Amino acid sequence: MCDQYTEEQLSFCTNLPKIELHAHLNGSLRDQTIKELADMRKLDPTLCHVVEKGERTLSEVFQLFGVIHQVTTDHAILTRITQEVIEDFAADNVQYLELRTTPKDRLEHGMTKRSYTEAVLQGVQKAKAGGCPTMVRLLLSIDRREDAAAAMATVMLAAELQAEGVVGVDLSGNPTIGSWDTWAPALGHARKLGLRLTLHAAEVYAPAETKQILDFRPDRLGHMCCLDIDLEQQFFSSCIPVELCLSSNIITESVASVSDHHFLPFFRAGHPVILCTDDSGVFHTSLSKEYAIAAHAFGLSQRDLWQLSEQAIEHAFLSADDKHELRQRWAEQRSGSG
Ligand code: IMP
Ligand code: ZN
């Protein structure tokens, strides 16, 4: 649908070192893995059409997450998919990946939020042990369907697992449900515990909630598709970096087409933007493709693309030393690229 770029643009973007700051674990699965797991689990055949479909609306996307969640209920499977997802990002020359996932209490499967997260962290370790060069950190997501107690449990878990590579908390899920007051106390507590915060906002037009989120001042925002003039002004003056996911916004119809995407006005205004995939599996994309789509649609030069990828380092939830290491990697690769 939005795969409009030249081979040369895609090849340049594939070779470019990249930073991924907005990727949902269960949205980044290979189609082949979903099908294999669905067969193994003998998934209800009436649900298979959601897996087979190429392009999906927002409600079909959330139906597909329901299907994926039915087949990723096993700790060993979570470890496997985490490793695969990291390897796929590494193959796309993503050198730092901030992966996010929603810890799930599924007691019928012997799974708690903690055991879920530990299985994911094991996948990160396995990828590393297998020689994967991508630096990885984890964000724990609060799903908008969750109540205040579940949100707080995720925050406490994130705080306890900071030494294992959990760096922050995300708020995500179906943007048409839930209310800010439910999660605000947990998110405020996360900040006090030293966790970094990135919140999905304005995926649909919800001005009152978007204002509450902007007033809260998270470290980063995701999407910001539907703003009125006042919100846009508050957003620009906040200077809060925003993760932008072109294919995701277009496929889920938050934005009508690439040329209507808010990337360009944000970029032109000098607002910090980071190109990301959101759900590379569900939307059949990669970070290289997202950069190539942006290059093609917005006439970005190779210099712009280098700057975009390098500036993303500043917005990662990493220590000063880790950022320094990434900057050095970028400098070496840029000088080596001629
Ligand atoms: P998980 O957290 O690893 O299970 O990844 C899938 C979950 O990420 C979904 O169930 C949603 O809660 C969230 N998610 C993925 N894509 C989107 C999106 O486009 N908008 C809001 N939430 C999303
Ligand atoms: Zn997202």
Side-chain angles (χ1 to χ4, degrees):
M1 179 196 278
C2 33
D3 286 9
Q4 287 181 347
Y5 41 75
T6 65
E7 279 307 310
E8 194 192 349
Q9 281 167 328
L10 182 60
S11 157
F12 177 84
C13 294
T14 304
N15 289 326
L16 190 69
K18 291 170 292 294
I19 301 277
E20 172 63 84
L21 299 184
H22 187 140
H24 299 267
L25 172 63
N26 280 286
S28 307
L29 266 57
R30 301 171 186 165
D31 269 2
Q32 200 191 330
T33 300
I34 302 177
K35 283 184 192 137
E36 188 191 316
L37 296 175
D39 285 346
M40 212 166 83
R41 285 286 165 106
K42 308 222 177 334
L43 184 76
D44 176 355
T46 60
L47 291 174
C48 288
H49 73 281
V50 192
V51 178
E52 301 293 337
K53 244 185 139 189
E55 286 172 9
R56 304 167 176 113
T57 63
L58 186 66
S59 79
E60 282 170 341
V61 164
F62 282 95
Q63 249 182 302
L64 178 60
F65 285 129
V67 172
I68 296 172
H69 289 149
Q70 282 185 39
V71 298
T72 57
T73 51
D74 195 278
H75 293 106
I77 288 173
L78 281 169
T79 301
R80 167 191 163 178
I81 62 170
T82 304
Q83 185 177 356
E84 281 184 9
V85 166
I86 294 169
E87 286 168 358
D88 290 349
F89 276 106
D92 194 37
N93 205 7
V94 169
Q95 305 206 358
Y96 172 65
L97 167 63
E98 218 160 81
L99 187 63
R100 61 186 76 190
T101 194
T102 319
K104 296 162 185 81
D105 266 329
R106 307 194 67 177
L107 302 179
E108 70 280 19
H109 296 287
M111 181 180 281
T112 61
K113 280 179 185 275
R114 175 178 278 276
S115 70
Y116 175 101
T117 309
E118 285 170 350
V120 171
L121 286 167
Q122 224 177 319
V124 177
Q125 287 311 320
K126 276 195 151 184
K128 199 172 170 189
C132 185
T134 301
M135 198 188 274
V136 182
R137 299 288 184 274
L138 198 63
L139 302 174
L140 299 189
S141 303
I142 295 169
D143 187 314
R144 296 177 62 105
R145 288 175 297 189
E146 291 186 297
D147 62 16
M152 189 63 88
T154 295
V155 164
M156 298 311 290
L157 181 61
E160 283 166 35
L161 294 174
Q162 275 174 299
E164 326 305 321
V166 176
V167 290
V169 171
D170 155 58
L171 173 69
S172 55
N174 190 333
T176 63
I177 60 173
S179 98
W180 170 250
D181 296 341
T182 309
W183 322 293
L187 292 167
H189 195 59
R191 179 181 275 155
K192 283 198 198 118
L193 294 172
L195 291 158
R196 311 297 301 278
L197 296 168
T198 177
L199 309 181
H200 285 58
E203 267 181 281
V204 292
Y205 186 60
E209 182 186 278
T210 304
K211 173 137 183 49
Q212 286 170 310
I213 291 178
L214 282 170
D215 288 345
F216 180 77
R217 294 197 53 84
D219 299 290
R220 292 198 314 253
L221 291 157
H223 299 306
M224 299 303 272
C225 305
C226 307
L227 302 177
D228 59 27
I229 298 265
D230 290 343
L231 287 170
E232 188 174 81
Q233 224 161 38
Q234 185 179 355
F235 166 64
F236 281 151
S237 54
S238 76
C239 295
I240 299 174
V242 61
E243 305 143 5
L244 297 179
C245 312
L246 305 174
S247 294
S248 165
N249 294 157
I250 293 153
I251 294 170
T252 60
E253 297 171 352
S254 292
V255 173
S257 69
V258 189
S259 53
D260 292 317
H261 200 279
H262 42 295
F263 173 93
L264 201 56
F266 289 6
F267 182 70
R268 281 202 182 128
H271 196 93
V273 293
I274 309 118
L275 282 173
C276 301
T277 54
D278 210 5
D279 299 290
S280 55
V282 170
F283 301 126
H284 297 133
T285 190
S286 67
L287 194 52
S288 299
K289 285 186 187 173
E290 296 300 302
Y291 270 74
I293 292 166
H296 193 83
F298 311 123
L300 303 182
S301 65
Q302 294 189 348
R303 190 162 175 269
D304 291 332
L305 295 166
W306 269 107
Q307 261 178 10
L308 266 175
S309 82
E310 190 166 8
Q311 277 170 11
I313 298 171
E314 305 313 319
H315 311 306
F317 296 160
L318 281 174
S319 67
D321 283 353
D322 287 334
K323 286 187 186 183
H324 180 70
E325 186 192 323
L326 287 174
R327 278 188 218 106
Q328 275 185 327
R329 282 202 210 175
W330 255 246
E332 279 159 24
Q333 292 172 79
R334 194 163 183 176
S335 66
S337 75

